[in-house]
Amino acid sequence: MYDFIIVGGGITGSALAYELAKKNSKVLLLEKDAISDNATRYSYGGLAYWSGITPINRQLCREGIEIHRNLSDELGSDTEFRELDLILYIPRETNPETVLKNYNKFEIEPKFLSVQEACEIEPLLNPDAISGVLKLPHGHINTEKTNQAYLNAFCRLGGKIQYEQVTQFIEKEQTIIGIETLENKYYAYKVIICAGGLTRSLLKQIGINIKIYFSNAQVIVTKPTDIKLKTLVMPAILKRLEIENKVTQAENENRWINPNTDILDGICEAGAIQFIDNHLCLGQISQFITDPYQKVDLIKSEEEIRQEIGQILPALKDIPGRLHQCLVAFSNNTQPLVGKIEEWTGLYTFSGFTSTLVFAPPLARHFGNWLIEGNDSIITQLEPIQSYK
Ligand SMILES: Cc1cc2nc3c(=O)[nH]c(=O)nc-3n(C[C@H](O)[C@H](O)[C@H](O)COP(=O)(O)OP(=O)(O)OC[C@H]3O[C@@H](n4cnc5c(N)ncnc54)[C@H](O)[C@@H]3O)c2cc1C
């Protein structure tokens, strides 16, 4: 019998597993893929610690960046953490002042740079496509290495990982007492779902719906290149966030409860980051399709991303690479789904974050306190997780 079973070994599951093992709990982590093929692997790896708006978010941003600055030492493997500039480009036809106004709510306000100043900092930018940029201090990690560093440290603390797909919950009178995989049954006092974009469909196995959503993201991962991108480049106006808000309105809830393969909405937004080994991540398409298993047209998506990248960072357009798709979980307000699922005993979720990479490490620490010591100043302020049939 385990104290905790964690389902999902992306950044959320691995950070939480590590924090719980650090507190001497007996933890089993179940991950379906021995070679990861998830949102964590294909992420840009940006740490938006400037983006706190509410007092809770601001505290988590400060704690998050501090943890990341020391994480390689703590976990005993290199996460490739570094501080770098985030460049948010403003399209040529847009007035920079209107965009800048949307950023004054954040804890750290961006600096506006003219086209010429922007191109001095990031020479790969196309000066004809922008009316300026916003510059912010940002952190960066290699998410695959950070994920693995957490898993290795977890195992060193006595944690156990099984590469098996969870297919069902073992239930007794509204209490979850374990889970079933394709091969085995495992029992625990508490089961915590960290399955990212598959969290909703997994919980549906026992008739539970919770308000967690996902986008189908597509990104090109290139081979290492001699071309040097100095900053993390993204759009200043993220239309994806508007679409997330729209597709999670009450009138669409039924589509999430009864998934299908229709594309509710979608957007391609040029963004790019280069990793320390010189490979690039070029993105990104975000499509909103309620069936999590829908496959996309890889060739068409790759063409679309290259077209958008060609406008903003022309030198990167044709670097050889491969398109990947993955699911990215999000909630329909800025609150993560961290806590016990109401009306059930023994069942918890840890998912649906905004700025997941900066929030997951501190939230894992707070959630660990709450699960083991029964109290935590942050977790007690989060909204309860409502389930409905
Ligand atoms: C292109 C791109 C760029 C991004 N850039 C940033 C960024 O700069 N900054 C930022 O903060 N965020 C960014 N994100 C988002 C961030 O990467 C994700 O939010 C985060 O990695 C999600 O972690 P996760 O653990 O919730 O999910 P995942 O990494 O998807 O992990 C979930 C895991 O659960 C496993 N699983 C699911 N179902 C089961 C089952 N039944 N049994 C066993 N295992 C199961 C899956 O195999 C998977 O490994 C980006 C995402 C993308 C795609």
Side-chain angles (χ1 to χ4, degrees):
M1 183 91 172
Y2 290 94
D3 295 319
F4 298 98
I5 287 176
I6 292 185
V7 182
I11 194 74
T12 58
S14 63
L16 184 60
Y18 165 75
E19 292 295 341
L20 291 171
K22 218 167 77 179
K23 288 179 175 289
N24 296 321
S25 300
K26 195 174 166 197
V27 186
L28 171 66
L29 184 146
L30 291 155
E31 165 55 54
K32 67 182 172 57
D33 298 322
I35 297 171
S36 62
D37 187 30
N38 53 21
T40 300
R41 174 164 169 206
Y42 302 122
S43 180
Y44 292 156
L47 303 172
Y49 66 91
W50 47 270
S51 67
I53 301 174
T54 63
I56 293 188
N57 282 358
R58 287 182 175 195
Q59 183 182 338
L60 290 171
C61 281
R62 279 184 227 122
E63 290 179 12
I65 192 66
E66 219 29 59
I67 292 176
H68 277 291
R69 285 184 176 128
N70 299 299
L71 202 56
S72 297
D73 284 345
E74 175 171 348
L75 301 180
S77 352
D78 192 5
T79 66
E80 294 186 358
F81 171 83
R82 61 195 164 131
E83 317 265 351
L84 93 174
D85 289 330
L86 172 67
I87 293 292
L88 299 170
Y89 60 86
I90 304 169
R92 195 181 136 111
E93 64 281 4
T94 307
N95 179 352
E97 272 172 32
T98 44
V99 180
L100 193 55
K101 262 190 225 143
N102 293 330
Y103 280 81
N104 60 18
K105 60 187 176 209
F106 297 115
E107 174 150 70
I108 301 175
E109 284 190 38
K111 188 168 178 228
F112 173 73
L113 301 183
S114 67
V115 175
Q116 192 190 337
E117 289 168 323
C119 293
E120 277 161 22
I121 290 191
E122 184 48 80
L124 297 186
L125 279 171
N126 174 6
D128 297 332
I130 57 174
S131 60
V133 303
L134 305 181
K135 180 170 88 93
L136 276 154
H138 212 55
H140 187 247
I141 50 167
N142 179 319
T143 43
E144 223 180 333
K145 289 196 174 171
T146 307
N147 197 172
Q148 196 54 52
Y150 265 126
L151 292 176
N152 293 347
F154 166 64
C155 290
R156 283 199 302 275
L157 290 167
K160 189 160 185 212
I161 303 175
Q162 290 289 116
Y163 289 99
E164 296 175 37
Q165 177 168 356
V166 173
T167 51
Q168 193 48 278
F169 294 90
I170 307 171
E171 171 200 353
K172 202 173 161 190
E173 297 158 3
Q174 281 298 101
T175 300
I176 297 300
I177 56 170
I179 52 89
E180 283 183 41
T181 69
L182 294 171
E183 296 90 2
N184 289 302
K185 290 182 181 175
Y186 298 99
Y187 294 86
Y189 296 106
K190 293 183 170 93
V191 173
I192 308 172
I193 312 301
C194 305
L198 289 174
T199 298
R200 186 182 264 265
S201 60
L202 186 59
L203 287 170
K204 217 172 164 202
Q205 303 281 350
I206 42 171
I208 296 178
N209 286 292
I210 61 167
K211 291 196 169 177
I212 185 159
Y213 307 89
F214 52 86
S215 60
N216 186 321
Q218 293 137 52
V219 66
I220 300 170
V221 179
T222 75
K223 299 210 175 336
T225 168
D226 292 338
I227 300 174
K228 290 276 180 266
L229 180 72
K230 292 183 170 172
T231 59
L232 201 168
V233 177
M234 286 177 62
I237 309 165
L238 263 185
K239 297 224 173 74
R240 172 171 55 85
L241 301 181
E242 279 169 37
I243 301 178
E244 284 182 2
N245 186 34
K246 192 178 99 190
V247 298
T248 55
Q249 295 297 310
E251 68 263 22
N252 282 320
E253 196 57 24
N254 243 334
R255 302 193 195 209
W256 292 98
I257 295 171
N258 302 298
N260 66 38
T261 57
D262 296 346
I263 300 176
L264 283 179
D265 212 328
I267 183 101
C268 181
E269 298 179 302
I273 177 69
Q274 188 160 37
F275 288 77
I276 285 175
D277 73 356
N278 291 326
H279 85 270
L280 290 150
C281 225
L282 307 176
Q284 125 189 40
I285 293 178
S286 306
Q287 286 181 329
F288 297 84
I289 311 171
T290 54
D291 178 351
Y293 298 103
Q294 177 66 1
K295 293 289 169 214
V296 299
D297 182 338
L298 300 181
I299 294 172
K300 195 164 152 247
S301 293
E302 183 170 340
E303 274 172 14
E304 206 177 332
I305 293 174
R306 290 192 185 281
Q307 177 76 21
E308 287 297 315
I309 286 287
Q311 309 273 333
I312 304 295
L313 297 158
L316 306 184
K317 181 172 182 261
D318 295 318
I319 297 174
R322 208 182 129 203
L323 190 108
H324 297 272
Q325 74 175 110
C326 62
L327 302 178
V328 183
F330 62 94
S331 68
N332 67 345
N333 54 26
T334 48
Q335 289 247 350
L337 290 154
V338 174
K340 179 178 162 301
I341 297 185
E342 292 222 317
E343 296 171 19
W344 287 81
T345 303
L347 187 58
Y348 301 76
T349 58
F350 185 68
S351 193
F353 306 170
T354 43
S355 300
T356 311
L357 304 178
V358 83
F359 282 3
L363 268 174
R365 212 163 266 186
H366 285 286
F367 196 34
N369 289 340
W370 184 82
L371 285 163
I372 291 172
E373 281 134 37
N375 198 11
D376 179 83
S377 58
I378 292 278
I379 305 299
T380 47
Q381 292 182 62
L382 300 180
E383 281 173 21
I385 302 170
Q386 310 277 357
S387 67
Y388 55 98
K389 294 274 174 191

